[in-house]
């Protein structure tokens, strides 16, 4: 397999949900056909200026990743690979491990089912590694990716890692690895992005939180990975189009319209919240409540519904509902 040569600049990519169904015995299992259908539906959508999503992220946080077995994850990604190939976009998925050797093995496994780029989370350790230990962890994953003919994307997500964010010095060193396609930064402090871009204007950084799309663009990010964009893809793509063109006022109108629901992307229960909102959007609210994650309370359900309705009403005024 050859490493993906698709241009990652100026794009937004959906972190798609893993759709579930009840088996005859009442056990939840992955609905591969539904997951493929919804992923394809998102990739079909165009923004107001004619562009589409630039990639497909599967089995991430919003894809129930932490609840899936290795076998389930590989089966899911193989199914999503066919969708990504149909729309000529890279397939991205995440990986994390306690040791660099275990991580290298996972990277190679993901390559066998069609993953083009692996988002590499920091090590799953109780004690934060030193910068040198962290670099070695990512460097071995890069070597494994090179051997498998794919690329990696270091993923700076301190909340998920459970310890401090990766330093800008370390991120800059990681970005220099030939196998690194881009950096994903999940933070509301976009000054981190700007600091790195000032040092290297050619650096490719993707924002990982929907609430900061416009500000991340101002700081120099070349795009983002979106959860809300699965629900309102036309709005998400169009907002990125405006960001790319430097039309900040127009981009900000869309950002403000989606504020009520984008807020959910930065919450600990983002999977449960956004998946339910996605279910409402597709007239399948009960399906949206099917998750391996936590069960939502009635007040939480009511809050998500109200936030979804408010965002939809605002986006309808802007002509951005598919």
């Amino acid at each position: 397999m050859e490493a993906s040569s698709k241009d990652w600049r100026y794009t937004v990519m959906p972190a798609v949900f893993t759709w579930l169904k009840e088996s005859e015995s009442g056990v939840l299992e992955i609905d591969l056909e539904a997951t493929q259908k919804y992923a394809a539906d998102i990739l079909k959508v165009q923004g107001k200026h004619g562009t589409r999503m630039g990639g497909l992220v599967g089995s991430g946080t919003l894809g129930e990743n932490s609840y899936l077995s290795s076998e389930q994850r590989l089966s899911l990604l193989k199914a999503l690979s066919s969708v990504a190939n149909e729309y000529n976009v890279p397939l991205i998925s995440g990986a994390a491990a306690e040791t660099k050797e275990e991580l290298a093995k996972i990277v190679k496994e993901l390559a066998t089912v069609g993953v083009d780029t692996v988002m590499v989370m920091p090590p799953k350790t109780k004690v934060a590694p030193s910068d040198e230990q962290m670099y070695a962890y990512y460097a071995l994953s890069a070597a494994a990716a090179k051997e498998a003919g794919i690329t990696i994307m270091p993923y700076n997500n301190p909340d998920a890692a459970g310890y401090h964010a990766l330093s800008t010095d370390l991120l800059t060193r990681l970005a220099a690895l030939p196998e690194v396609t881009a950096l994903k930064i999940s933070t509301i402090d976009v000054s981190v992005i700007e600091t790195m871009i000032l040092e290297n204007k050619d650096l490719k950084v993707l924002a990982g939180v929907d609430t900061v799309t416009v500000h991340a663009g101002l700081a120099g990010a070349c795009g983002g990975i979106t959860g809300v964009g699965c629900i309102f893809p036309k709005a998400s793509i169009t907002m990125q189009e405006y960001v790319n063109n430097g039309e900040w006022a127009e981009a900000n109108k869309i950002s403000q319209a989606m504020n009520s629901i984008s807020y959910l992307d930065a919450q600990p229960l983002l999977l449960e919240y956004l998946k339910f909102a996605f279910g409402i959007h597709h007239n399948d609210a009960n399906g949206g409540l099917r998750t391996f994650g936590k069960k939502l309370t009635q007040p939480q359900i009511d809050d998500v519904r109200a936030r979804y309705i408010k965002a939809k009403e605002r986006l309808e005024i802007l002509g951005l509902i598919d």
Side-chain angles (χ1 to χ4, degrees):
M1 180 189 298
E2 294 182 358
S4 173
S5 61
K6 301 179 179 73
D7 190 357
W8 286 58
R9 289 185 183 277
Y10 315 123
T11 187
V12 62
M13 294 176 277
V16 295
F17 303 99
T18 298
W19 216 244
L20 305 176
K21 62 183 178 181
E22 290 185 25
S23 67
E24 292 183 1
S25 61
V27 176
L28 286 181
E29 59 185 29
I30 297 176
D31 188 334
L32 293 177
E33 289 187 5
T35 303
Q36 287 176 309
K37 176 189 179 300
Y38 285 127
D41 286 346
I42 294 167
L43 294 180
K44 290 175 186 175
V45 176
Q46 294 184 354
K48 280 192 171 183
H49 293 86
T51 62
R52 291 187 171 93
M53 296 285 187
L56 180 63
V57 181
S59 187
T61 301
L62 294 179
E64 314 267 344
N65 180 67
S66 60
Y67 301 103
L68 301 180
S69 67
S70 177
E71 182 180 356
Q72 287 175 314
R73 191 174 299 113
L74 293 176
S75 175
L76 170 64
L77 290 168
K78 186 175 181 179
L80 288 174
S81 177
S82 65
V83 179
N85 287 335
E86 180 182 354
Y87 289 89
N88 193 34
V89 297
L91 176 64
I92 300 98
S93 188
E98 187 173 341
T99 68
K100 60 182 184 291
E101 292 80 11
E102 181 186 356
L103 175 65
K105 181 180 177 181
I106 294 172
V107 169
K108 291 179 181 178
E109 285 180 342
L110 293 177
T112 66
V113 292
V115 172
D116 296 292
T117 296
V118 180
M119 290 188 302
V120 181
M121 293 284 294
K124 295 190 296 184
T125 55
K126 293 181 180 179
V127 179
S130 67
D131 273 9
E132 287 309 312
Q133 290 172 322
M134 194 81 80
Y135 183 83
Y137 173 86
Y138 280 99
L140 189 59
S141 71
K146 181 179 181 180
E147 184 179 335
I150 62 174
T151 57
I152 66 167
M153 182 196 306
Y155 184 4
N156 190 15
N157 189 332
D159 289 337
Y163 48 79
H164 63 75
L166 304 185
S167 68
T168 54
D169 287 343
L170 176 59
L171 287 169
T172 300
R173 288 178 64 195
L174 294 178
L177 291 169
E179 296 75 30
V180 170
T181 312
L183 302 174
K184 181 183 177 185
I185 308 294
S186 287
T187 176
I188 58 174
D189 181 7
V190 298
S191 65
V192 173
I193 298 173
E194 188 166 34
T195 296
M196 291 188 294
I197 297 296
L198 286 172
E199 294 180 4
N200 180 3
K201 63 181 178 60
D202 295 322
L203 195 64
K204 296 180 181 179
V205 177
L206 299 177
V209 184
D210 277 306
T211 54
V212 301
T213 298
V214 177
H215 292 93
L218 279 165
C222 64
I225 293 178
T226 177
V228 174
C230 294
I231 305 166
F232 299 117
K234 185 174 182 179
S236 184
I237 297 167
T238 303
M239 179 166 59
Q240 187 64 47
E241 289 175 334
Y242 284 132
V243 168
N244 296 345
N245 294 331
E247 298 179 63
W248 305 111
E250 294 302 313
N252 202 45
K253 286 179 185 177
I254 302 174
S255 179
Q256 290 176 327
M258 292 198 293
N259 268 347
S260 64
I261 195 167
S262 294
Y263 164 84
L264 302 176
D265 188 54
Q267 304 307 307
L269 294 182
L270 73 162
L271 160 62
E272 293 84 350
Y273 289 157
L274 292 179
K275 191 172 190 181
F276 177 57
F278 184 88
I280 297 172
H281 190 65
H282 289 279
N283 299 312
D284 185 12
N286 289 332
L289 288 171
R290 292 194 190 108
T291 173
F292 292 129
K294 296 183 179 180
K295 183 177 180 180
L296 296 180
T297 64
Q298 192 58 51
Q300 288 171 328
I301 288 173
D302 294 341
D303 180 55
V304 172
R305 191 185 301 276
R307 289 177 178 278
Y308 163 79
I309 291 172
K310 183 174 289 187
K312 183 181 179 184
E313 289 174 345
R314 291 170 172 172
L315 291 174
E316 282 176 337
I317 293 173
L318 297 177
L320 290 173
I321 297 295
D322 309 319

